[in-house]
Amino acid sequence: MSKAVCLCSGGLDSTVAATIARRSGMDVYLIHVSYGQQAELREIEAVRRIAGAIGASDLMLSTLDLFRGLSALTTPCARIPQGVEVSLDSYSTPPTWVYCRNTVLLSMAAAYAEYLGAESIYVGFNAEEAMSYPDNRPEFVERFNALLERAVASFSRPPKVVAPLVDMRKNEIVRLGTEIKAPLELTWSCYLDGEIHCGTCESCQHRRRGFVEAGVPDPTEYLH
Ligand SMILES: [Zn+2]
């Protein structure tokens, strides 16, 4: 059976992507990276449960110090904007941006994939994030795949990044996730590390809107 490494934050998008890989019959190896994000413990709890729910073959929990303190997202107690209305049309770089994150995390996933002999690396890149972050766009995936052709050992087969949600918006991802029975109720999207989702950070706003626009009951408990 072929193997897929799935880069999983424990959020909606990467969980739906990992479920797609699993439903297509692949052996799924989840990798989660703790890079100092305020919600890292919540994410790890989520990703452990997701691994069980989708029948992952293994879960790699990796850590990275580089980003700690470099972003509001990765600085303990730094103020993460809450209640600031998120508009998909007028984006500017938010204080929660983590520098070149997808390039760094995908490189880690690629190393794990080469070790396993996995043929694919599934990611949850999507059209909404691509509006402000070029490292979610199809061109980025294409170029990263071209890089991988030259990045592995001569006798390894380069893994290929697969981004099944790359053209989809959050509501379409929620609808698809519901159809394929992805464990959406186990996912964690909030930037903060509260007992439940805050409901007001940028990520919670996207999550909420996704369920509302999809017309799917939202299983999430929000603080506000
Ligand atoms: Zn939140």
Side-chain angles (χ1 to χ4, degrees), residues 190-191 198-199 201 204:
C190 186
Y191 284 155
C198 79
C201 73
C204 280

Side-chain angles (χ1 to χ4, degrees), residues 82 189-192 197-205:
Q82 284 181 280
S189 300
C190 186
Y191 284 155
L192 305 171
H197 283 72
C198 79
T200 54
C201 73
E202 181 186 340
S203 187
C204 280
Q205 290 186 51

Side-chain angles (χ1 to χ4, degrees), residues 136-212:
N136 277 263
R137 294 181 190 154
E139 302 89 303
F140 174 81
V141 173
E142 270 167 40
R143 289 177 192 201
F144 200 89
N145 280 331
L147 171 74
L148 285 178
E149 297 281 336
R150 297 285 173 272
V152 298
S154 306
F155 299 104
S156 293
R157 196 171 55 160
K160 199 165 187 274
V161 178
V162 179
L165 315 176
V166 79
D167 295 322
M168 298 175 79
R169 294 175 68 114
K170 204 65 100 182
N171 59 344
E172 298 170 295
I173 296 168
V174 168
R175 222 172 281 136
L176 173 63
T178 306
E179 273 167 34
I180 64 171
K181 297 191 168 44
L184 302 183
E185 70 287 356
L186 301 180
T187 59
W188 182 268
S189 300
C190 186
Y191 284 155
L192 305 171
D193 65 347
E195 291 293 319
I196 55 175
H197 283 72
C198 79
T200 54
C201 73
E202 181 186 340
S203 187
C204 280
Q205 290 186 51
H206 287 308
R207 180 184 179 98
R208 271 186 138 144
R209 189 178 35 74
F211 278 100
V212 170

Side-chain angles (χ1 to χ4, degrees), residues 19-35:
T19 305
I20 291 170
R22 187 70 191 116
R23 298 278 183 263
S24 69
M26 305 183 101
D27 282 338
V28 160
Y29 294 76
L30 296 181
I31 176 169
H32 174 271
V33 183
S34 296
Y35 51 85

